[in-house]
Amino acid sequence: MDTVLFIVFAAVAVACAVNLILQKHPISSALSLVGVMGSLAVLYLLLGAEFMAVTQIVVYAGAVMVLFVFVIMLLNTGQETGGGKSWFAQVAGLPLLLAFIALMGLLICGPLMPRLRAVQFGSWHGGTARAIGRAIFTDYLLPFEVTSVLVLIAILGAVVLARKEID
Amino acid sequence: MNPSLPSIPLSWYLLLSAVLFTLGVAGFLYRKNIITVFMSIELMLNAVNLSFIAFAYQWRQVEGHIYAFFVMVVAAAEAAVGLAIILTIFKNRATLQIDDVDSMKL
């Protein structure tokens, strides 16, 4: 069963990602990105990361993508006009991308990688909200608190950047 | 667990992550709309998160989830600031094409 689920949702994720970079209109790209995030959430569930799957849906597919869609609607951009790509991207882009993916495949399937487990749904329950919360509020308390400062700075930055000039 | 069904090796998850990351890089390189480029960055972050969670499964450690969680928080903050920057660019220049915003290009 989890084999079927993996294949289906991996295919959906890759198809949506390809659609993201092929679509001319940003709103179609945004919907494709929502598709990628949703199928990644299913894959997280298969890997036993329950909390991360829910966070993926709530934070990414919910909050971040709503922000994107708001901005796309607000700016009403329309289709992108095909501009000339830089000569370097045109000449070396595709070969370098293929070389990168080949290198990653070699690294993942090669002898350098330790023996990887076979994924069985339900064989590990380490990603529950309880385990994550325990780790965040004991061992990773300082990074967590620093994160709150980061988010505060981001809020202030967004407000300052997007405000209207009053005078 | 049904033994007749073969289970997926973890390397498939890592390969999927690599493919998604490469697609994100391709979108970053080839697209000309600032918002689409920004979404390609989000795609790359998601691909890296999948790797983190796959390795958390491999080592049976919750730390991978914590790192993915922090990546997610930083991505949300980055999205807020980045979209504010995009709004400002559009307000000042009335364009979203990357080629039209090249004041800092050499």
Side-chain angles (χ1 to χ4, degrees):
Chain A
M1 189 61 196
D2 42 346
T3 311
V4 179
L5 279 177
F6 173 81
I7 290 171
V8 168
F9 282 99
V12 169
V14 172
C16 284
V18 170
N19 196 38
L20 190 158
I21 57 178
L22 288 185
Q23 286 291 336
K24 284 289 168 218
H25 202 287
I27 200 82
S28 316
S29 298
L31 287 179
S32 309
L33 190 53
V34 172
V36 174
M37 286 162 175
S39 34
L40 279 185
V42 177
L43 297 182
Y44 292 174
L45 263 185
L46 288 178
L47 286 169
E50 304 158 14
F51 181 76
M52 290 312 293
V54 176
T55 318
Q56 172 90 359
I57 294 288
V58 172
V59 174
Y60 257 134
V64 173
M65 289 320 291
V66 165
L67 208 59
F68 270 96
V69 173
F70 267 164
V71 170
I72 294 169
M73 295 288 188
L74 189 66
L75 301 185
N76 195 15
T77 57
Q79 297 210 341
E80 121 180 18
T81 54
K85 303 172 185 99
S86 75
W87 64 270
F88 185 78
Q90 250 174 350
V91 173
L94 199 61
L96 281 179
L97 285 176
L98 289 178
F100 176 75
I101 191 78
L103 193 67
M104 291 302 285
L106 211 66
L107 199 66
I108 289 167
C109 299
L112 281 175
M113 198 59 101
R115 222 179 99 71
L116 293 173
R117 290 172 193 272
V119 177
Q120 283 202 319
F121 177 61
S123 69
W124 183 53
H125 288 292
T128 56
R130 181 191 176 90
I132 301 255
R134 187 177 291 275
I136 279 184
F137 289 108
T138 55
D139 296 339
Y140 294 90
L141 185 62
L142 180 65
F144 182 69
E145 296 297 339
V146 172
T147 301
S148 66
V149 178
L150 175 79
V151 172
L152 180 67
I153 294 170
I155 293 170
L156 290 179
V159 169
V160 167
L161 279 170
R163 81 187 192 284
K164 279 224 171 73
E165 300 292 336
I166 293 172
D167 43 10
Chain B
M1 193 57 62
N2 191 350
S4 66
L5 274 174
S7 51
I8 295 284
L10 197 69
S11 50
W12 287 25
Y13 284 87
L14 298 175
L15 284 175
L16 175 67
S17 163
V19 167
L20 287 180
F21 189 88
T22 314
L23 286 171
V25 176
F28 185 83
L29 283 180
Y30 286 114
R31 295 310 300 271
K32 291 293 164 188
N33 189 314
I34 297 181
I35 296 181
T36 316
V37 168
F38 205 49
M39 282 193 278
S40 303
I41 296 175
E42 297 290 329
L43 180 61
M44 286 191 263
L45 288 168
N46 268 283
V48 171
N49 267 354
L50 181 61
S51 270
F52 269 129
I53 288 177
F55 279 115
Y57 185 89
Q58 162 76 11
W59 304 116
R60 296 283 198 260
Q61 301 238 322
V62 82
E63 270 77 10
H65 296 177
I66 308 284
Y67 292 146
F69 182 73
F70 283 132
V71 169
M72 215 176 262
V73 173
V74 171
E78 173 228 345
V81 177
L83 288 171
I85 291 174
I86 290 175
L87 277 177
T88 314
I89 289 175
F90 190 76
K91 210 160 61 186
N92 289 332
R93 306 203 172 205
T95 181
L96 284 180
Q97 304 300 311
I98 276 198
D99 293 332
D100 299 341
V101 189
D102 56 356
S103 313
M104 290 178 77
K105 209 171 179 180
L106 283 175

